[in-house]
Amino acid sequence: MSDGATKTRPERVGAQRRGPRTGRRLRPGPTAGFAMLPWLLLGLGSFSNLVQGETPNPWFGAIGLLVFNSLYINVVFRAFHPSARHSRGTWGALAGMAVMTFGLGGAYGGSWLLFFPLFGLACGTVLRGRHLVLAGTPLVAAVAVVSAVHDGWGAVTIAYGTVISMLVTAAILALSETVVELRSTRQELARSAVAEERLRFSRDLHDLLGHTLSVIVVKSEAARRLAPRDMDAALAQITDIESVGRQALTEIREAVTGYRDTSLTTELDRARSALTAAGIEPVVRQSGPPPGPRTEALLGWVVREAVTNAVRHSGATRCEITVDGAPEQVRLVIADDGRGVRSGPADDMGTEAGTRTGTGYRGTGLTGLTERLAVAGGSLEAGPGGSPGRGFRVTAVLPVDPTADAPPTGKASPTESERPA
């Protein structure tokens, strides 16, 4: 466990490092406020009037121009900072801009009225949605009144410019923020897909190696016990170990390439062999139409996991495996007459040392199988067997896929058979 954590830690650290850098590239920062500065050129007419002495009370106009430009720069830079955009400082700067805009425009008129579109642009960088409508409607009405007093019908142009600058700025920035969120969501979905695939692959390897290694251990113990008195039988067990090992190598290669399918028939044969080697009498019953490839693969995983637990933990003398096919669903029951659920330290594979839940007792393997079957519309339950305090039972139910699991037309369903080893 520690080795796996050590190997994957650099990957997690790298992902964490890449994530923030990507976010900074996508999210507009305070430097984006520089794009709003060229609009201050609208105030050149007012500055020209001050320089040429055409403005009454030039000191008032100069101070107002300086204060307005300072507040404008403050607002547009704070608008691109998420934590400062809706702060009291930003709202206070907007209020100050409103006072200076109406004060200068109302006092001088003419080119000073162009500060109204600039104020509308500043409002568009901060306000969105309902706030934009609530603030924009009275603003445009007030701009139209003040402009009409100084410029008559020219007020239409000033009011229109104020509306357009405010709405277009808000729309462009809102669209930019949406694009940023979509890109961030896409990256998060990609990371989630990778994590889900890693989880699926780890479950595959857990189920595959747990069963195979358990079979190898059981057969090795049998070979050790048989060697002193029956060398031929011991050699047969060793031959089985070699065969299981070679098959495991093949399955691991296929699992890595993503093309591994578990056959229910193959798993039942392996289950008989593993149970027999462990001194447990296997009884296999099959009835109804054969399941389709998808259902067969999922049931094969259940057989593999349940038999592995029975061999490793149950101490049973008999294990019954029943596959009951029906037109609407397939039911698999694996029951043994062992010691049942016992208390003890948690095991990485054991259902008996697993966690007790509302539906039974689940270890890591059965929890993963429950998730797989749930995705396919099925269910899995695990818990004590029929006798109080004795035995353990695993029940898997899967719906029949009408396109994949339907039996061939005109063929009779297999008859029920009981085949004790």
Side-chain angles (χ1 to χ4, degrees):
M1 183 66 182
S2 60
D3 294 341
T6 302
K7 292 178 180 178
T8 58
R9 190 178 296 113
E11 297 179 2
R12 293 197 299 268
V13 173
Q16 293 171 355
R17 289 177 179 174
R18 288 190 296 270
R21 286 204 303 267
T22 303
R24 285 197 295 268
R25 286 198 300 267
L26 293 177
R27 187 178 294 110
T31 56
F34 285 108
M36 313 301 295
L37 297 184
W39 294 102
L40 287 174
L41 295 176
L42 289 174
L44 283 179
S46 303
F47 181 75
S48 176
N49 291 341
L50 285 173
V51 173
Q52 296 176 7
E54 300 176 359
T55 302
N57 299 319
W59 289 106
F60 174 77
I63 294 173
L65 182 61
L66 178 62
V67 172
F68 179 89
N69 290 341
S70 301
L71 292 175
Y72 175 86
I73 294 172
N74 185 13
V75 168
V76 297
F77 275 89
R78 293 172 68 90
F80 291 99
H81 197 289
S83 61
R85 177 176 162 187
H86 297 293
S87 65
R88 292 182 179 179
T90 303
W91 293 110
L94 273 179
M97 284 187 66
V99 172
M100 299 308 302
T101 302
F102 281 96
L104 295 174
Y108 297 124
S111 59
W112 295 86
L113 296 176
L114 294 177
F115 284 109
F116 284 118
L118 268 177
F119 179 60
L121 189 147
C123 291
T125 61
V126 177
L127 303 177
R128 299 286 186 276
R130 182 172 60 90
H131 296 92
L132 185 65
V133 175
L134 293 178
T137 302
L139 172 62
V140 173
V143 168
V145 172
V146 173
S147 301
V149 172
H150 289 279
D151 203 16
W153 286 106
V156 176
T157 303
I158 300 299
Y160 178 76
T162 303
V163 171
I164 291 299
S165 62
M166 182 167 49
L167 296 181
V168 170
T169 302
I172 292 176
L173 294 183
L175 179 61
S176 176
E177 293 167 359
T178 303
V179 170
V180 170
E181 293 177 0
L182 289 175
R183 289 181 180 176
S184 178
T185 302
R186 183 178 63 184
Q187 293 172 359
E188 185 62 31
L189 289 175
R191 285 192 291 268
S192 299
V194 171
E196 181 64 25
E197 181 62 18
R198 287 177 177 174
L199 179 61
R200 182 198 65 80
F201 188 70
S202 66
R203 287 198 301 257
D204 286 353
L205 290 182
H206 175 276
D207 297 340
L208 175 63
L209 294 179
H211 173 78
T212 302
L213 294 178
S214 296
V215 172
I216 291 176
V217 169
V218 170
K219 287 186 173 292
S220 299
E221 292 175 349
R224 177 175 54 81
R225 292 195 303 267
L226 292 172
R229 62 178 183 273
D230 191 346
M231 185 57 66
D232 291 338
L235 290 176
Q237 295 292 336
I238 294 174
T239 301
D240 290 343
I241 293 173
E242 180 182 2
S243 175
V244 170
R246 293 182 183 278
Q247 181 63 28
L249 288 175
T250 301
E251 291 178 344
I252 289 175
R253 294 190 187 101
E254 293 175 348
V256 170
T257 55
Y259 294 107
R260 182 174 185 273
D261 289 328
T262 303
S263 169
L264 178 60
T265 302
T266 302
E267 292 301 335
L268 290 176
D269 292 338
R270 292 177 182 173
R272 292 191 188 94
S273 177
L275 291 170
T276 303
I280 303 174
E281 179 188 3
V283 178
V284 179
R285 299 186 182 93
Q286 289 181 268
S287 63
R294 185 190 66 174
T295 303
E296 189 175 72
L298 290 172
L299 294 180
W301 283 113
V302 177
V303 171
R304 175 188 290 267
E305 176 67 20
V307 169
T308 299
N309 291 333
V311 169
R312 294 183 61 183
H313 307 292
S314 69
T317 60
R318 179 184 175 92
C319 181
E320 297 184 3
I321 304 174
T322 304
V323 182
D324 184 13
E328 297 182 354
Q329 67 179 20
V330 180
R331 181 184 181 89
L332 169 66
V333 179
I334 303 173
D336 61 60
D337 60 353
R339 63 177 63 93
V341 180
R342 70 174 188 273
S343 61
D347 188 275
D348 62 336
M349 288 280 293
T351 55
E352 297 178 64
T355 303
R356 182 169 183 173
T357 64
T359 58
Y361 298 76
R362 300 186 184 277
T364 304
L366 291 180
T367 300
L369 286 174
T370 302
E371 296 172 356
R372 291 184 185 209
L373 268 63
V375 171
S379 63
L380 186 142
E381 297 181 358
S387 302
R390 297 287 297 173
F392 195 82
R393 179 188 299 269
V394 176
T395 304
V397 178
L398 279 170
V400 174
D401 185 354
T403 60
D405 295 344
T409 305
K411 294 186 178 180
S413 301
T415 58
E416 180 175 344
S417 63
E418 181 173 347
R419 295 177 290 177

